[in-house]
Amino acid sequence: MITRPLDLAARLRPEPRHFDWLFYVNAGLIGLFFALFGSPFVLAPGMPLNFELPAATGAEAAAAAPTSVVSVTDSGQIFADGLRTLEQLQDWLREEARKHREPVLVVRVGRAVPISLLAQIANAAVEAGFRRVLSAAVEPEPSRPNGGR
């Protein structure tokens, strides 16, 4: 070893013995700062939006080609070309309604989104000038007897 010719190992200070408490203090402070200053939106741009649309009979009968789409997660976050608040969404809806001659809005909502939020979005869209406001749903799976394939 390279320390043997100069006897450097004998001149090193010994390892400290009682700094175990400092590790726990540092870990506790880091956890406290993450809890206080952490944001639920830090990972939001990289997270996929996994929507599970509600099932409705006859959902495909009134289908129309949308000119704009708004997505609302179960936690109440509104996505329309990015994360928006309800006030920001009203401005965005006005801009989108001016772009098209017959604007149609489709609102994709999760199963746990309150109807009151869907009604607020629909009212804002009608006030902005949208001709039709549709909520996205899927046709329910037909029930199969005896659970067959």
Side-chain angles (χ1 to χ4, degrees), residues 84-95 120 123-125 127-128:
R84 300 186 185 276
T85 63
L86 200 54
E87 292 79 22
Q88 293 170 341
L89 180 67
Q90 291 173 347
D91 297 332
W92 182 83
L93 287 170
R94 281 189 216 102
E95 292 174 14
Q120 288 176 343
N123 288 339
E127 289 175 6

Side-chain angles (χ1 to χ4, degrees), residues 40-83:
F41 304 109
V42 171
L43 296 177
M47 294 175 59
L49 299 176
N50 296 327
F51 286 104
E52 193 172 326
L53 295 174
T57 305
E60 294 175 359
T67 58
S68 304
V69 178
V70 173
S71 301
V72 183
T73 63
D74 290 340
S75 61
Q77 294 177 325
I78 302 169
F79 290 92
D81 293 338
L83 182 64

